[in-house]
Structure formats: structure tokens, C-alpha cells
């Protein structure tokens, strides 16, 4: 596996002075896995803020106390996506928009890394853009098992564009993966075999790109006559080298789970506004999937069911707790399910799995 090297200062210095982010609040919700667990078992929560992003970190694995917020300045940041690799490194992908001297927008995709829980970010590096006129969507990302970062964006032609690292750490040029009519960013999953699969919704149905081997080219897109609501796609590996894709079914407005070669299974629930948060975990000795989303009334909904056992039913629980954007899911250092939200006032809050059978959550803790 290719190993990254952090500089001697970046590896030892925390972000800013203690309390630097005090008084700041989140301006929205990040995309991707914005609630991460480090190698030391501590959780970290990230959220966009005016002029950059905010970070809160557990002081000990399993909580309940958190430090932060710490503020990281990223002038011009308009979209933030967080992804984490198997090595524990957290990667930040952003859409940055600044103004040129002539008043026209200058848009690019930027990337930074946090190597260790609670410590500094690397410098933000520009990855450019496949469309200099600024017509580029929110970035989606994934980290391959060898640590190479893959960045996907919807291009100005409505298809999918990719920029990825080479094994030597240098960035390749933008690649056109083709397709057209994409309604939003794709869902990307890294499988245990090392391959990636990408799913996107389009006006004509659902499009799939697949790697034939780890690090290889992406074949596709292959189209399927399925109706996924734009902006609701998520993905998870649910069996060795097999992905399940989740979305809100456009016609019925309920959650659906689908694997290549089969028909979508309707899971119930209500219509989601953004991608589902997906967590595979053990509940009472059973291999289960936990889903969470924000419904159209602005409240979070939590659901659970057996992994690849949709016919046995899926159970949903509406939570009377307003939030903006979608929720996040993770397991803490004690293995408990943790759900995170951003309150409408910009304050994050978390609830943890209570002891006992099933999945019930504690009272919300505001950070």
C-alpha cells in the first residue's frame, strides 16, 4: 500500500488555537461521511461554515465530551464532501468559487487531508476543473484500498468526470467517463476486492460504472430503466464484492434497495431529500443495515433491517428533532451506533445507541 507522508509540522500541530472556532456555527451540512472514526476510536464531526469549515472531536473514545469547534479557513468554499480511507486518513473535497479581476467566477475543486484525529490539515491543493467556465457540480469521492483518491463530478455536458491519483501519488488528468443527463452527484462504493462501483441517477434511468479490477479503468455506463429520485443515492457493500444501492423511488416516494441483477426492493419510509446515510453493523447478533435520512418535513428518520434480507421487512422511526441537511451515522469507539445532525441554528448534536436489545437512541447532546 502506498503510504502518504505528512510534513513534520503538519503531523504534530493541532488546527489553530483552542477555542478559535468559538462563536461560529455551521452554515449547512457536508456531504459524504462527515462523522468519522479515527484509528484511536475517537469520532470527529465536520461541517461547512462561512469562509471554511468547523471540526468537533471527541476528547476520549466513546465520549461523551467533545472539543471544538475548531475553524479551518477555506475562502470561497461552496460545497464540502468528506471521505475516509481504510487507513483512517480523512479527505476533504470542496468546490471553491472565487472572483477573477474581470468579475467572472473562477471555480475549481480543492483537496486536503487530515492524517490523524484532532491534528492539522495539509494545505488545500487545487485539482482544477474539467470545465473552466465553472459549470461543474458538487464533488463526490472515494479512497481506494491502496490510498489513492478518486474525485467524481458531473461535467458541463451532463456526464461523469473523474480525476484520480496514480500509484506514485501524482494526479492524473481529468477522465471523461461519459454518460449524460445526470441529475446529481453519484454514489461510490469501494468493495473488499478493491474494485469501485459508481451509481448515478439520470433522466433516462440509473447508470452504473464498474471497475473490472482494482486500479483499473471504469467500464460503462450501463443503463437500467429504474426511477431514482435525484440527489438521494447511497451505496454500501452488503456481501463480498457486491454492492447494494439505495435511493428514494421517484414514483412511490419510498426508500428502495437494489443490486445489479435483481429488482428494487421497496423498504417503505417516506421521501428523502438528500442521500441516505448507510451503516452496516451488528444488532443483537444479526448483520443489519441502518439507514437515516431527512424527510420533506425537515425531521430525521432512522430505519433498520437485515442486510440483504429486505423481504423480512424494514423498520422506520421518525425522530421529533428538526435538522438541516441529512444526518450522519457512525460507530463509536465502543461499537455503538451514533447519529449526528446539524440543528437549524447551525449547532451539531449527537445521540448514541442505548444499552440493551434493538436500536434505541439516547437523548440528544448538543456540541
Amino acid at each position: 500500500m502506498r503510504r502518504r507522508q505528512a510534513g513534520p509540522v503538519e503531523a504534530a500541530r493541532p488546527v489553530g488555537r483552542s477555542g478559535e472556532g468559538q462563536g461560529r456555527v455551521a452554515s449547512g451540512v457536508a456531504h459524504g461521511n462527515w462523522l468519522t472514526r479515527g484509528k484511536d476510536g475517537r469520532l470527529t464531526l465536520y461541517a461547512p461554515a462561512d469562509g471554511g469549515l468547523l471540526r468537533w472531536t471527541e476528547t476520549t473514545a466513546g465520549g461523551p465530551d467533545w472539543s471544538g469547534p475548531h475553524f479551518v479557513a477555506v475562502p470561497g468554499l461552496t460545497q464540502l464532501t468528506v471521505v475516509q480511507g481504510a487507513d483512517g486518513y480523512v479527505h476533504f473535497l470542496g468546490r471553491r468559487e472565487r472572483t477573477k479581476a474581470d468579475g467572472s467566477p473562477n471555480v475549481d475543486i480543492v483537496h486536503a487531508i487530515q492524517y490523524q484525529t484532532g491534528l492539522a490539515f495539509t494545505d488545500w491543493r487545487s485539482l482544477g476543473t474539467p470545465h473552466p467556465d465553472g459549470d461543474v457540480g458538487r464533488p463526490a469521492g472515494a479512497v481506494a484500498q491502496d490510498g489513492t483518491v478518486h474525485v467524481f463530478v458531473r461535467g458541463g455536458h451532463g456526464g461523469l468526470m473523474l480525476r484520480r491519483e496514480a500509484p506514485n501519488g501524482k494526479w492524473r488528468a481529468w477522465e471523461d467517463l461519459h454518460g449524460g443527463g445526470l441529475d446529481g452527484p453519484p454514489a461510490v462504493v469501494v468493495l473488499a476486492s478493491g474494485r469501485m462501483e459508481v451509481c448515478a441517477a439520470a433522466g433516462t434511468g440509473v447508470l452504473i460504472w464498474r471497475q473490472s479490477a482494482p486500479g483499473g479503468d471504469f467500464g460503462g455506463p450501463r443503463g437500467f430503466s429504474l426511477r431514482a429520485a435525484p440527489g438521494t443515492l447511497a451505496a454500501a457493500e452488503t456481501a463480498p464484492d457486491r454492492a447494494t444501492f439505495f435511493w428514494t423511488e421517484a414514483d412511490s416516494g419510498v426508500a428502495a434497495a437494489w443490486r445489479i441483477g435483481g429488482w428494487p426492493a421497496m423498504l417503505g419510509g417516506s421521501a428523502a431529500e438528500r442521500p441516505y446515510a448507510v451503516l452496516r453493523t451488528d444488532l443483537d447478533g444479526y448483520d443489519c443495515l441502518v439507514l437515516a435520512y431527512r424527510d420533506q418535513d425537515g425531521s430525521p428518520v432512522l430505519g433498520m433491517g437485515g442486510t440483504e434480507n429486505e423481504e423480512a421487512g424494514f423498520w422506520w422511526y421518525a425522530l421529533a428533532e428538526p435538522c438541516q441537511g441529512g444526518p450522519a451515522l457512525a460507530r463509536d469507539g465502543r461499537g455503538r451506533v451514533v447519529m449526528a445532525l446539524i440543528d437549524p441554528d447551525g449547532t451539531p448534536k449527537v445521540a448514541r445507541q442505548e444499552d440493551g436489545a434493538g436500536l434505541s437512541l439516547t437523548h440528544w447532546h448538543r456540541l
Side-chain angles (χ1 to χ4, degrees):
M1 178 182 292
R2 177 176 61 82
R3 294 186 63 84
R4 301 173 182 271
Q5 295 296 326
V9 175
E10 291 292 353
R13 175 172 61 86
V15 174
R17 297 179 300 276
S18 177
E20 184 178 273
Q22 296 299 322
R24 294 180 181 268
V25 296
S27 60
V29 176
H31 302 270
N33 301 322
W34 52 272
L35 181 67
T36 65
R37 186 176 70 181
K39 286 190 173 182
D40 62 359
R42 288 189 294 157
L43 295 176
T44 304
L45 185 154
Y46 307 92
D50 291 341
L53 64 95
L54 294 169
R55 181 187 73 182
W56 291 261
T57 305
E58 282 185 321
T59 55
T60 58
D65 295 327
W66 297 68
S67 66
H70 292 288
F71 177 69
V72 181
V74 195
L77 185 70
T78 61
Q79 297 280 353
L80 175 67
T81 299
V82 184
V83 295
Q84 187 175 28
D87 53 14
Y89 299 161
V90 182
H91 296 262
F92 304 89
L93 303 170
R95 181 186 183 275
R96 181 174 62 180
E97 184 170 335
R98 296 171 293 179
T99 303
K100 298 179 182 179
D102 62 2
S104 61
N106 178 22
V107 175
D108 63 349
I109 303 299
V110 292
H111 169 241
I113 312 168
Q114 179 184 279
Y115 290 104
Q116 192 172 342
T117 304
L119 295 187
F121 291 30
T122 63
D123 292 336
W124 291 80
R125 175 176 181 174
S126 175
L127 304 182
T129 172
H131 296 286
D133 62 1
D135 189 8
V136 62
R138 169 174 62 83
V143 183
Q145 288 187 346
D146 66 356
T148 56
V149 183
H150 292 57
V151 183
F152 301 86
V153 296
R154 183 183 59 184
H157 62 302
L160 190 64
M161 304 294 296
L162 164 67
R163 191 166 191 194
R164 54 178 161 169
E165 289 182 293
N168 62 5
K170 295 184 179 181
W171 285 87
R172 302 180 182 181
W174 286 98
E175 304 171 45
D176 189 349
L177 300 186
H178 305 292
L182 269 61
D183 291 329
V188 188
V189 59
V190 182
L191 302 171
S193 66
R195 295 190 310 105
M196 289 187 187
E197 295 190 0
V198 184
C199 180
T204 56
V206 169
L207 302 179
I208 297 288
W209 293 259
R210 307 178 79 186
Q211 282 182 314
S212 58
D217 292 332
F218 285 82
R222 182 181 174 189
F224 296 86
S225 297
L226 302 171
R227 295 271 293 157
T232 64
L233 285 168
E237 184 175 33
T238 53
D241 205 39
R242 185 165 63 224
T244 298
F245 299 100
F246 304 90
W247 59 68
T248 292
E249 214 277 332
D251 295 325
S252 64
V254 302
W258 174 72
R259 290 176 286 279
I260 294 175
W263 291 98
M266 298 299 118
L267 305 180
S270 55
E273 286 193 331
R274 288 165 60 118
Y276 292 84
V278 185
L279 179 67
R280 187 177 175 185
T281 190
D282 180 276
L283 293 175
D284 301 333
Y286 293 97
D287 182 358
C288 293
L289 281 175
V290 180
L291 301 183
Y293 66 93
R294 179 182 186 267
D295 67 17
Q296 295 184 342
D297 293 330
S299 299
V301 179
L302 183 68
M304 69 201 75
T307 301
E308 293 199 358
N309 191 23
E310 294 87 3
E311 65 276 7
F314 219 82
W315 291 266
W316 297 99
Y317 303 90
L319 305 176
E321 195 73 22
C323 65
Q324 57 175 309
L329 294 170
R331 285 182 297 177
D332 68 11
R334 293 174 52 189
R336 297 172 297 183
V337 175
V338 180
M339 186 176 184
L341 308 173
I342 303 295
D343 194 83
D345 67 5
T347 303
K349 50 195 174 184
V350 297
R352 300 176 194 266
Q353 179 181 358
E354 291 186 318
D355 294 334
L359 176 58
S360 58
L361 299 178
T362 61
H363 294 297
W364 294 95
H365 173 64
R366 292 172 66 90
L367 304 190

